[in-house]
Amino acid sequence: MSSSGAVSGFGSVWVDGLELDDTQARVRLDSVEGAPDIPPGQIRLGLGQRVELEFEIDAAGRRVVSEIRISPELIGPVTSVSPLEVGGQRVLVNTDAEQGPLTLLVGVADASALQVGQRVEVHGLARTVGGGREIVASRIATVGGPAQSPWLRLGGSVADLTPDSFRIGGLRVQRDSRTVIVPGQQALA
């Protein structure tokens, strides 16, 4: 069986309020070839992270997880602080518990401390609003690595496609022979 959701607690692991036994689970970062991965021994689950799970239900009715994939919605530089954008994608921070789960910030005291160019990992749910895409963040964490790294993780619909560029949300991507499109062997059309 499989499921996905946000990490909401520990003891076992709680995902969207559901307890799962993770004592035998392999934890990995949902990534692609060529991405600047975190070494396996350094990958840690954190509150607010979006995860994908593979599990079985045992004879006692417990959900026993075999694999947990940490699956951020975005990884890249802050491209605007007002409104908050990462890699040209709009990111919403919730500070009002009455509006839903609060956004957990890791590495900064609050969202106003984020700076343009700072690399972050954003977990949350994407939604379409007025023809645009925005991420309702459950977690925003600062990440190490070179601030000028050309590597981004983002998703969305391709627009304004030309032979050497395209746009996803507010980000124009210049492409050349080094550009990797995932899933592989896909043509942009």
Side-chain angles (χ1 to χ4, degrees):
M1 302 181 100
S2 63
S3 183
S4 65
V7 175
S8 56
F10 294 102
S12 294
V13 65
W14 291 77
V15 176
D16 287 345
L18 185 65
E19 183 178 16
L20 299 117
D21 177 353
D22 66 339
T23 56
Q24 300 175 35
R26 184 181 100 177
V27 179
R28 68 181 185 89
L29 182 63
D30 182 17
S31 190
V32 297
E33 185 177 328
D37 282 341
I38 300 168
Q42 296 178 17
I43 296 173
R44 302 282 184 259
L45 285 176
L47 292 175
Q49 288 177 325
R50 296 288 304 169
V51 294
E52 297 171 3
L53 309 163
E54 296 295 328
F55 67 94
E56 299 292 329
I57 298 177
D58 70 9
R62 293 179 309 132
R63 293 166 186 88
V64 180
V65 180
S66 58
E67 182 173 270
I68 301 172
R69 287 181 306 281
I70 300 170
S71 187
E73 190 67 33
L74 296 170
I75 301 174
V78 174
T79 50
S80 172
V81 293
S82 184
L84 180 59
E85 292 183 356
V86 175
Q89 308 292 299
R90 179 96 186 259
V91 176
L92 301 178
V93 176
N94 184 24
T95 58
D96 181 357
E98 292 185 12
Q99 298 299 313
L102 299 175
T103 302
L104 178 65
L105 296 159
V106 178
V108 291
D110 59 49
S112 67
L114 292 169
Q115 299 176 9
V116 170
Q118 187 172 24
R119 290 186 66 76
V120 295
E121 179 178 286
V122 178
H123 291 264
L125 293 173
R127 67 181 185 188
T128 303
V129 177
R133 184 174 186 264
E134 61 188 20
I135 311 303
V136 180
S138 56
R139 177 186 176 103
I140 301 173
T142 59
V143 294
Q148 309 310 325
S149 173
W151 191 87
L152 299 173
R153 176 188 175 125
L154 58 95
S157 298
V158 171
D160 302 333
L161 179 64
T162 70
D164 60 354
S165 71
F166 58 91
R167 185 176 52 79
I168 296 179
L171 180 69
R172 172 145 308 275
V173 178
Q174 297 297 124
R175 63 184 180 145
D176 61 24
S177 62
R178 299 170 296 163
T179 305
V180 177
I181 306 295
V182 177
Q185 311 303 322
Q186 295 282 330
L188 297 177

